[in-house]
PDB file of all heavy atoms in Angstrom:
ATOM      1  N   SER A  80       1.063  42.889 -37.271  1.00 97.00           N
ATOM      2  CA  SER A  80       0.681  42.117 -38.452  1.00 97.00           C
ATOM      3  C   SER A  80      -0.834  42.053 -38.558  1.00 97.00           C
ATOM      4  O   SER A  80      -1.545  42.200 -37.562  1.00 97.00           O
ATOM      5  CB  SER A  80       1.256  40.700 -38.360  1.00 97.00           C
ATOM      6  OG  SER A  80       0.719  40.028 -37.242  1.00 97.00           O
ATOM      7  N   ALA A  81      -1.320  41.867 -39.780  1.00 97.00           N
ATOM      8  CA  ALA A  81      -2.757  41.688 -40.021  1.00 97.00           C
ATOM      9  C   ALA A  81      -3.582  42.727 -39.272  1.00 97.00           C
ATOM     10  O   ALA A  81      -4.401  42.402 -38.412  1.00 97.00           O
ATOM     11  CB  ALA A  81      -3.185  40.276 -39.638  1.00 97.00           C
ATOM     12  N   SER A  82      -3.374  44.005 -39.609  1.00 97.00           N
ATOM     13  CA  SER A  82      -4.019  45.099 -38.888  1.00 97.00           C
ATOM     14  C   SER A  82      -5.535  44.945 -38.848  1.00 97.00           C
ATOM     15  O   SER A  82      -6.163  44.505 -39.826  1.00 97.00           O
ATOM     16  CB  SER A  82      -3.668  46.432 -39.553  1.00 97.00           C
ATOM     17  OG  SER A  82      -2.287  46.681 -39.462  1.00 97.00           O
ATOM     18  N   GLN A  83      -6.097  45.348 -37.716  1.00 97.00           N
ATOM     19  CA  GLN A  83      -7.546  45.324 -37.515  1.00 97.00           C
ATOM     20  C   GLN A  83      -8.022  46.739 -37.220  1.00 97.00           C
ATOM     21  O   GLN A  83      -7.246  47.580 -36.763  1.00 97.00           O
ATOM     22  CB  GLN A  83      -7.890  44.389 -36.350  1.00 97.00           C
ATOM     23  CG  GLN A  83      -7.403  42.970 -36.530  1.00 97.00           C
ATOM     24  CD  GLN A  83      -7.580  42.130 -35.271  1.00 97.00           C
ATOM     25  OE1 GLN A  83      -8.016  42.618 -34.223  1.00 97.00           O
ATOM     26  NE2 GLN A  83      -7.243  40.847 -35.370  1.00 97.00           N
ATOM     27  N   LEU A  84      -9.306  46.986 -37.446  1.00 97.00           N
ATOM     28  CA  LEU A  84      -9.852  48.321 -37.193  1.00 97.00           C
ATOM     29  C   LEU A  84      -9.624  48.741 -35.743  1.00 97.00           C
ATOM     30  O   LEU A  84      -9.385  49.922 -35.448  1.00 97.00           O
ATOM     31  CB  LEU A  84     -11.338  48.357 -37.534  1.00 97.00           C
ATOM     32  CG  LEU A  84     -11.687  48.130 -39.002  1.00 97.00           C
ATOM     33  CD1 LEU A  84     -13.204  48.151 -39.194  1.00 97.00           C
ATOM     34  CD2 LEU A  84     -11.022  49.162 -39.897  1.00 97.00           C
ATOM     35  N   GLY A  85      -9.662  47.788 -34.844  1.00 97.00           N
ATOM     36  CA  GLY A  85      -9.451  48.086 -33.430  1.00 97.00           C
ATOM     37  C   GLY A  85      -8.013  48.462 -33.084  1.00 97.00           C
ATOM     38  O   GLY A  85      -7.734  48.849 -31.948  1.00 97.00           O
ATOM     39  N   ASP A  86      -7.118  48.359 -34.043  1.00 98.00           N
ATOM     40  CA  ASP A  86      -5.729  48.770 -33.806  1.00 98.00           C
ATOM     41  C   ASP A  86      -5.562  50.279 -33.930  1.00 98.00           C
ATOM     42  O   ASP A  86      -4.492  50.812 -33.588  1.00 98.00           O
ATOM     43  CB  ASP A  86      -4.786  48.071 -34.789  1.00 98.00           C
ATOM     44  CG  ASP A  86      -4.708  46.567 -34.578  1.00 98.00           C
ATOM     45  OD1 ASP A  86      -4.968  46.119 -33.436  1.00 98.00           O
ATOM     46  OD2 ASP A  86      -4.403  45.847 -35.548  1.00 98.00           O
ATOM     47  N   SER A  87      -6.573  50.973 -34.413  1.00 98.00           N
ATOM     48  CA  SER A  87      -6.490  52.428 -34.526  1.00 98.00           C
ATOM     49  C   SER A  87      -6.356  53.030 -33.132  1.00 98.00           C
ATOM     50  O   SER A  87      -7.235  52.857 -32.276  1.00 98.00           O
ATOM     51  CB  SER A  87      -7.741  52.981 -35.216  1.00 98.00           C
ATOM     52  OG  SER A  87      -7.818  52.545 -36.552  1.00 98.00           O
ATOM     53  N   ALA A  88      -5.253  53.717 -32.897  1.00 97.00           N
ATOM     54  CA  ALA A  88      -4.945  54.228 -31.556  1.00 97.00           C
ATOM     55  C   ALA A  88      -3.623  54.982 -31.617  1.00 97.00           C
ATOM     56  O   ALA A  88      -2.962  55.027 -32.651  1.00 97.00           O
ATOM     57  CB  ALA A  88      -4.836  53.085 -30.540  1.00 97.00           C
ATOM     58  N   MET A  89      -3.255  55.573 -30.476  1.00 97.00           N
ATOM     59  CA  MET A  89      -1.900  56.117 -30.303  1.00 97.00           C
ATOM     60  C   MET A  89      -1.009  54.996 -29.782  1.00 97.00           C
ATOM     61  O   MET A  89      -1.430  54.183 -28.951  1.00 97.00           O
ATOM     62  CB  MET A  89      -1.897  57.259 -29.300  1.00 97.00           C
ATOM     63  CG  MET A  89      -2.456  58.570 -29.817  1.00 97.00           C
ATOM     64  SD  MET A  89      -1.383  59.336 -31.045  1.00 97.00           S
ATOM     65  CE  MET A  89       0.022  59.783 -30.043  1.00 97.00           C
ATOM     66  N   TYR A  90       0.233  54.977 -30.246  1.00 98.00           N
ATOM     67  CA  TYR A  90       1.198  53.975 -29.805  1.00 98.00           C
ATOM     68  C   TYR A  90       2.425  54.687 -29.267  1.00 98.00           C
ATOM     69  O   TYR A  90       2.983  55.566 -29.917  1.00 98.00           O
ATOM     70  CB  TYR A  90       1.572  53.048 -30.955  1.00 98.00           C
ATOM     71  CG  TYR A  90       0.451  52.111 -31.322  1.00 98.00           C
ATOM     72  CD1 TYR A  90      -0.574  52.539 -32.153  1.00 98.00           C
ATOM     73  CD2 TYR A  90       0.404  50.817 -30.817  1.00 98.00           C
ATOM     74  CE1 TYR A  90      -1.629  51.695 -32.478  1.00 98.00           C
ATOM     75  CE2 TYR A  90      -0.627  49.962 -31.135  1.00 98.00           C
ATOM     76  CZ  TYR A  90      -1.643  50.411 -31.959  1.00 98.00           C
ATOM     77  OH  TYR A  90      -2.684  49.566 -32.265  1.00 98.00           O
ATOM     78  N   PHE A  91       2.835  54.269 -28.072  1.00 97.00           N
ATOM     79  CA  PHE A  91       3.964  54.912 -27.406  1.00 97.00           C
ATOM     80  C   PHE A  91       5.072  53.897 -27.142  1.00 97.00           C
ATOM     81  O   PHE A  91       4.821  52.789 -26.667  1.00 97.00           O
ATOM     82  CB  PHE A  91       3.532  55.519 -26.070  1.00 97.00           C
ATOM     83  CG  PHE A  91       2.575  56.666 -26.203  1.00 97.00           C
ATOM     84  CD1 PHE A  91       1.216  56.478 -26.054  1.00 97.00           C
ATOM     85  CD2 PHE A  91       3.046  57.941 -26.475  1.00 97.00           C
ATOM     86  CE1 PHE A  91       0.329  57.535 -26.175  1.00 97.00           C
ATOM     87  CE2 PHE A  91       2.168  59.012 -26.597  1.00 97.00           C
ATOM     88  CZ  PHE A  91       0.810  58.802 -26.442  1.00 97.00           C
ATOM     89  N   CYS A  92       6.285  54.317 -27.426  1.00 97.00           N
ATOM     90  CA  CYS A  92       7.487  53.568 -27.081  1.00 97.00           C
ATOM     91  C   CYS A  92       8.018  54.129 -25.767  1.00 97.00           C
ATOM     92  O   CYS A  92       7.954  55.357 -25.542  1.00 97.00           O
ATOM     93  CB  CYS A  92       8.507  53.731 -28.208  1.00 97.00           C
ATOM     94  SG  CYS A  92      10.044  52.837 -27.995  1.00 97.00           S
ATOM     95  N   ALA A  93       8.520  53.265 -24.901  1.00 95.00           N
ATOM     96  CA  ALA A  93       9.001  53.725 -23.596  1.00 95.00           C
ATOM     97  C   ALA A  93      10.260  52.948 -23.210  1.00 95.00           C
ATOM     98  O   ALA A  93      10.513  51.858 -23.721  1.00 95.00           O
ATOM     99  CB  ALA A  93       7.924  53.537 -22.527  1.00 95.00           C
ATOM    100  N   MET A  94      11.023  53.518 -22.302  1.00 94.00           N
ATOM    101  CA  MET A  94      12.293  52.912 -21.907  1.00 94.00           C
ATOM    102  C   MET A  94      12.593  53.164 -20.436  1.00 94.00           C
ATOM    103  O   MET A  94      12.260  54.210 -19.887  1.00 94.00           O
ATOM    104  CB  MET A  94      13.436  53.488 -22.746  1.00 94.00           C
ATOM    105  CG  MET A  94      14.810  52.956 -22.392  1.00 94.00           C
ATOM    106  SD  MET A  94      16.105  53.668 -23.409  1.00 94.00           S
ATOM    107  CE  MET A  94      16.176  55.309 -22.725  1.00 94.00           C
ATOM    108  N   ARG A  95      13.240  52.158 -19.832  1.00 89.00           N
ATOM    109  CA  ARG A  95      13.878  52.382 -18.530  1.00 89.00           C
ATOM    110  C   ARG A  95      15.277  51.778 -18.647  1.00 89.00           C
ATOM    111  O   ARG A  95      15.470  50.767 -19.317  1.00 89.00           O
ATOM    112  CB  ARG A  95      13.084  51.758 -17.389  1.00 89.00           C
ATOM    113  CG  ARG A  95      13.186  50.253 -17.310  1.00 89.00           C
ATOM    114  CD  ARG A  95      12.162  49.583 -16.433  1.00 89.00           C
ATOM    115  NE  ARG A  95      11.800  50.259 -15.218  1.00 89.00           N
ATOM    116  CZ  ARG A  95      10.697  49.932 -14.528  1.00 89.00           C
ATOM    117  NH1 ARG A  95       9.893  48.984 -14.973  1.00 89.00           N
ATOM    118  NH2 ARG A  95      10.403  50.561 -13.403  1.00 89.00           N
ATOM    119  N   ASP A  96      16.281  52.412 -18.022  1.00 81.00           N
ATOM    120  CA  ASP A  96      17.630  51.874 -18.101  1.00 81.00           C
ATOM    121  C   ASP A  96      18.199  51.650 -16.706  1.00 81.00           C
ATOM    122  O   ASP A  96      17.565  51.970 -15.706  1.00 81.00           O
ATOM    123  CB  ASP A  96      18.538  52.764 -18.964  1.00 81.00           C
ATOM    124  CG  ASP A  96      18.691  54.170 -18.406  1.00 81.00           C
ATOM    125  OD1 ASP A  96      18.517  54.375 -17.191  1.00 81.00           O
ATOM    126  OD2 ASP A  96      18.979  55.080 -19.220  1.00 81.00           O
TER     127      ASP A  96
END
Side-chain angles (χ1 to χ4, degrees):
Chain A
S80 62
S82 296
Q83 302 171 357
L84 296 178
D86 294 335
S87 295
M89 284 290 292
Y90 288 82
F91 294 98
C92 182
M94 178 180 73
R95 74 195 322 164
D96 61 24

